[in-house]
């Protein structure tokens, strides 16, 4: 009986694998995905928040970016992890959904990620009104309008993704950092940990909604070591007993690890719940932790101290004066947060976000394939 079943199983598996774009042999993200649709926060925002709220970042942001104007809408001095990933698969940088005027098209994908966004629904205190649920709704609207336009004029496929692109595209997620980091402003560690299952449930709801829309290829980043961000250290690390041996806030990193553990648990269950899909889980925490703990081995001089800030060592960070801005110190002195001379020596750009050099490091390690797991699902 087993000998009769095995050939049939082999044929089924071959058929299933041929319905999905093949993975590249050298790294886990395939160049065969025709389009990419991204959801997230400032870690992958290519201009969504600035377009949506109608503001421009200070010129220091984007100063290393090779397009004009200097400010690209990215919360970085240059490119983000998602930019390097797009380069690796020979795809154009992702155009923000709310970018009304651009020379870029949406044919190869669209970016819904917005700085300050959370998995949970935004509230009155939120920096971004574009929580994950809103971003998914934006995608649903985007897809519906695109397909309507393509029915009216097939020539628009030069600028818009076809139904095939939506079905076989890659759906990327890098979100959750603000849910965890933001919760610490009014919650204890235990309370933050107690909130994580709810956050994970909301995240899964986003996956489900996209699956219903035809999404089948999902790429999920976990969150990084939040306790090693200068902003977190400056506010929650004043009591040195709260810091670990590397100068990172212990509670924040513990919460990030617990969030990642539950996110990974969800990742393991998803293939069973959503047939004919591919899920990839990327361990961003391990990559960034390695960079911070061993930064000098990788050519960086500073792991926590920021490049664009004010105040000098050990953090060069003032929570009241953002990168590129001018304000007053506690004693009334006028101060300006300026960029360092060589950002390639810094892991952290502005206290919250990484430099282009650090983002390049993270992307390189993602592409090595050593920090990702891929699971396929199917009906037998």
């Amino acid at each position: 009986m087993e000998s009769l079943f095995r050939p049939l199983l082999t044929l089924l598996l071959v058929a299933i694998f041929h319905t999905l774009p093949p993975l590249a042999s050298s790294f886990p993200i395939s160049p065969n995905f025709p389009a990419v649709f991204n959801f997230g926060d400032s870690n992958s925002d290519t201009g969504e928040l600035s377009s949506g709220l109608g503001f421009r970042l200070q010129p220091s942001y984007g100063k290393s970016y090779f397009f004009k104007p200097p400010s690209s809408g990215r919360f970085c001095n240059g490119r983000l992890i998602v930019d390097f990933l797009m380069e690796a698969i020979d795809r154009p940088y992702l155009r923000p959904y709310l970018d009304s005027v651009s020379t870029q098209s949406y044919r190869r994908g669209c970016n819904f990620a917005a700085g300050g966004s959370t998995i949970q629904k935004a509230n009155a205190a939120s920096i971004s009104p574009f929580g994950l649920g809103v971003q998914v709704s934006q995608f649903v609207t985007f897809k519906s309008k695109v397909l309507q336009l393509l029915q009216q004029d097939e020539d628009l496929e030069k600028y818009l993704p076809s139904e095939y692109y939506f079905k076989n595209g890659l759906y990327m997620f890098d979100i959750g950092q603000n849910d965890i980091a933001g919760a610490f402003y009014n919650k204890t560690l235990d309370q933050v940990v107690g909130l994580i299952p709810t956050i994970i449930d909301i995240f899964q709801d986003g996956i489900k909604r996209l699956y219903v829309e035809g999404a089948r290829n999902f790429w999920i980043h976990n969150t990084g070591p939040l306790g090693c961000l200068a902003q977190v250290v400056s506010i929650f690390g004043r009591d040195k007993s709260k810091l670990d041996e590397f100068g990172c806030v212990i509670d924040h990193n513990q919460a990030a690890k617990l969030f990642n553990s539950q996110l990974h648990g969800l990742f393991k269950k998803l293939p069973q719940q959503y047939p004919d899909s591919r899920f990839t889980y990327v361990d961003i925490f391990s990559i960034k932790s390695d960079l911070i703990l061993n930064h000098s081995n990788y050519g960086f001089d500073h792991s926590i101290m920021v490049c664009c800030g004010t105040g000098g060592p050990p953090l060069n960070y003032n929570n009241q004066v953002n990168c590129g801005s001018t304000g007053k110190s506690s004693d009334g002195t006028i101060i300006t947060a300026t960029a360092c001379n060589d950002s390639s020596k810094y892991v952290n750009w502005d206290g919250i976000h990484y430099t282009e050099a650090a983002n390049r490091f993270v992307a390189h390690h993602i592409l090595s394939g050593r920090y990702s797991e891929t699971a396929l699902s199917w009906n037998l």
Side-chain angles (χ1 to χ4, degrees):
M1 183 69 178
E2 183 181 350
S3 61
L4 293 173
F5 177 73
R6 185 170 296 169
L8 176 60
L9 177 60
T10 300
L11 288 173
L12 285 170
L13 290 175
V14 169
I16 290 166
F17 276 105
H18 277 287
T19 64
L20 294 168
L23 284 173
S25 58
S26 57
F27 46 80
I29 183 169
S30 172
N32 296 301
F33 291 116
V36 176
F37 303 96
N38 185 67
F39 305 84
D41 52 33
S42 57
N43 289 313
S44 59
D45 181 355
T46 54
E48 179 77 349
L49 188 67
S50 61
S51 295
L53 300 186
F55 70 90
R56 292 185 65 183
L57 293 169
Q58 294 290 338
S60 297
Y61 288 89
K63 63 177 294 188
S64 300
Y65 197 63
F66 43 81
F67 290 133
K68 302 294 182 181
S71 177
S72 64
R74 290 160 169 78
F75 291 85
C76 178
N77 62 305
R79 286 163 291 181
L80 307 174
I81 295 168
V82 67
D83 294 319
F84 289 110
L85 295 181
M86 293 305 97
E87 289 179 4
I89 61 172
D90 195 27
R91 292 287 176 266
Y93 300 131
L94 294 177
R95 180 180 176 183
Y97 169 68
L98 294 175
D99 183 16
S100 58
V101 180
S102 176
T103 57
Q104 289 180 277
S105 79
Y106 290 113
R107 183 169 182 265
R108 289 294 191 171
C110 183
N111 195 359
F112 301 89
S117 295
T118 53
I119 293 173
Q120 300 168 95
K121 185 178 180 180
N123 56 46
S126 299
I127 295 172
S128 166
F130 309 116
L132 180 60
V134 173
Q135 293 181 28
V136 172
S137 294
Q138 289 174 331
F139 168 81
V140 173
T141 300
F142 174 77
K143 179 187 175 188
S144 175
K145 289 184 176 180
V146 164
L147 295 182
Q148 287 177 22
L149 287 170
L150 292 179
Q151 282 185 337
Q152 298 168 17
D153 186 351
E154 292 182 356
D155 288 341
L156 291 176
E157 280 196 17
K158 292 182 292 185
Y159 312 103
L160 299 172
S162 66
E163 187 156 13
Y164 174 85
Y165 280 26
F166 282 113
K167 180 180 179 180
N168 293 284
L170 182 64
Y171 292 76
M172 303 179 71
F173 302 85
D174 191 330
I175 194 167
Q177 172 174 322
N178 295 317
D179 294 85
I180 303 303
F184 274 100
Y185 286 94
N186 56 21
K187 289 180 172 59
T188 65
L189 173 61
D190 288 343
Q191 290 172 328
V192 173
V193 171
L195 184 63
I196 292 175
T198 299
I199 297 172
I200 297 297
D201 286 344
I202 298 172
F203 180 80
Q204 183 176 7
D205 183 66
I207 295 285
K208 180 180 179 180
R209 291 176 62 196
L210 290 170
Y211 180 85
V212 169
E213 288 294 320
R216 293 296 183 268
N217 304 302
F218 299 92
W219 177 279
I220 303 168
H221 289 187
N222 69 13
T223 199
L226 309 181
C228 300
L229 299 174
Q231 182 192 63
V232 172
V233 176
S234 71
I235 297 172
F236 297 93
R238 294 168 186 165
D239 179 352
K240 302 307 177 186
S241 67
K242 302 290 186 181
L243 303 177
D244 63 18
E245 59 184 303
F246 301 102
C248 303
V249 179
I250 297 170
D251 283 359
H252 282 66
N253 279 353
Q254 183 176 345
K257 289 178 182 177
L258 291 170
F259 169 81
N260 290 341
S261 176
Q262 293 190 35
L263 183 64
H264 187 260
L266 174 64
F267 159 76
K268 301 294 280 188
K269 296 176 183 177
L270 288 172
Q272 304 161 21
Q273 299 178 26
Y274 301 99
D276 306 316
S277 296
R278 167 189 287 144
F279 296 89
T280 297
Y281 177 89
V282 184
D283 188 4
I284 297 294
F285 187 96
S286 291
I287 299 174
K288 289 185 174 180
S289 294
D290 177 37
L291 173 58
I292 291 168
L293 273 54
N294 302 295
H295 62 279
S296 59
N297 294 337
Y298 299 118
F300 293 85
D301 293 338
H302 308 285
S303 59
I304 298 179
M305 188 170 81
V306 309
C307 170
C308 189
T310 184
L315 297 178
N316 193 39
Y317 180 79
N318 186 315
N319 196 45
Q320 303 302 313
V321 185
N322 296 326
C323 170
S325 301
T326 298
K328 289 184 178 181
S329 64
S330 56
D331 62 3
T333 304
I334 301 297
I335 55 176
T336 300
T338 57
C340 60
N341 292 327
D342 187 358
S343 61
S344 69
K345 298 298 182 182
Y346 289 74
V347 171
N348 198 289
W349 167 242
D350 61 359
I352 305 172
H353 310 100
Y354 282 37
T355 61
E356 180 182 75
N359 287 331
R360 180 187 289 108
F361 174 94
V362 175
H364 174 77
H365 281 68
I366 291 173
L367 295 171
S368 74
R370 299 194 306 270
Y371 296 88
S372 62
E373 299 176 53
T374 296
L376 302 177
S377 58
W378 52 75
N379 285 326
L380 291 180

